[in-house]
Amino acid sequence: MPEKSQKRQILKKKLFTKNRLVILNEDTFEEIFSLRLTLMNVFVVASIGAILIITFTTYIIAFTPLREYIPGYASTKLRQEATELALKSDSLALALKKNDAYLKSVVKVLNGDLEYEKINKDSIMSSDNVSKTIENDAPSKAELQLREQVLQEEKMLSKDKKKSKK
């Protein structure tokens, strides 16, 4: 134990012993500059200087366009263009899928695989290439009544037009 305390005291004495830094003119031995320092003062000043240099360098790299020259950092313009291109490629892929679905349905019609079903590009896009099946071939009673009502209204309109022409 006493050895550790003696070593600490010796280290403390070395750190806080005052030394003089003198700059002399070699020809005249005239003292140009003189400074009283301790080893602790030199260590503190060197540490603070290193921290300031690291902080300043980090700030320059992080907040100026200089970061674009460091490998791994992309420019903001390049990043923006990459995002735009990704969005365009996604929309083009979707359009390609829709066109493929439309062409497949057209091929089915040309081959005669589909029955009396009207092919519409919009309906194909909304169904995502899922073919719809007709549940009932025969019209319901409500549908028949609606058809009769529409026919009667058309007859009445055509009669009114003929009367107005005469």
Side-chain angles (χ1 to χ4, degrees):
M1 283 289 202
E3 292 177 12
K4 285 187 180 181
S5 64
Q6 284 179 354
K7 287 182 181 179
R8 285 185 186 171
Q9 286 178 354
I10 293 172
L11 181 64
K12 185 178 177 184
K13 190 174 183 183
K14 285 182 180 178
L15 283 175
F16 292 103
T17 302
K18 294 185 179 182
N19 297 311
R20 179 176 297 269
L21 173 68
V22 179
I23 299 177
L24 299 173
N25 185 349
E26 195 170 312
D27 294 334
T28 63
F29 293 107
E30 179 183 351
E31 185 177 311
I32 297 173
F33 182 74
S34 161
L35 213 108
R36 283 179 46 174
L37 299 171
T38 63
L39 199 54
M40 183 62 106
N41 289 347
V42 172
F43 178 72
V44 169
V45 169
S47 299
I48 289 173
I51 290 171
L52 288 175
I53 288 173
I54 291 169
T55 304
F56 184 69
T57 305
T58 304
Y59 179 79
I60 287 176
I61 290 172
F63 299 110
T64 63
L66 188 63
R67 68 174 168 230
E68 295 173 10
Y69 295 107
I70 296 175
Y73 282 102
S75 70
T76 53
K77 183 179 178 184
L78 180 65
R79 204 176 295 152
Q80 193 175 35
E81 288 175 356
T83 305
E84 289 175 9
L85 289 175
L87 291 174
K88 285 182 182 179
S89 66
D90 287 344
S91 63
L92 287 174
L94 182 62
L96 184 63
K97 284 181 183 178
K98 288 180 181 180
N99 284 337
D100 285 343
Y102 178 70
L103 290 174
K104 286 179 184 177
S105 63
V106 168
V107 167
K108 284 182 182 179
V109 169
L110 292 175
N111 290 336
D113 294 341
L114 295 178
E115 300 175 7
Y116 306 111
E117 195 172 330
K118 291 184 179 177
I119 302 298
N120 187 356
K121 188 173 183 175
D122 294 331
S123 66
I124 291 171
M125 286 183 219
S126 65
S127 69
D128 291 328
N129 203 12
V130 175
S131 62
K132 296 180 181 178
T133 58
I134 301 173
E135 294 177 8
N136 294 328
D137 289 337
S140 65
K141 289 181 182 179
E143 192 175 347
L144 289 173
Q145 288 176 353
L146 180 64
R147 288 180 183 178
E148 287 178 22
Q149 184 181 359
V150 169
L151 285 172
Q152 288 175 359
E153 288 177 2
E154 285 179 359
K155 286 180 183 179
M156 291 176 79
L157 286 174
S158 64
K159 287 180 184 178
D160 289 340
K161 286 183 181 179
K162 287 181 181 178
K163 287 181 183 178
S164 64
K165 287 183 180 180
K166 290 180 180 180

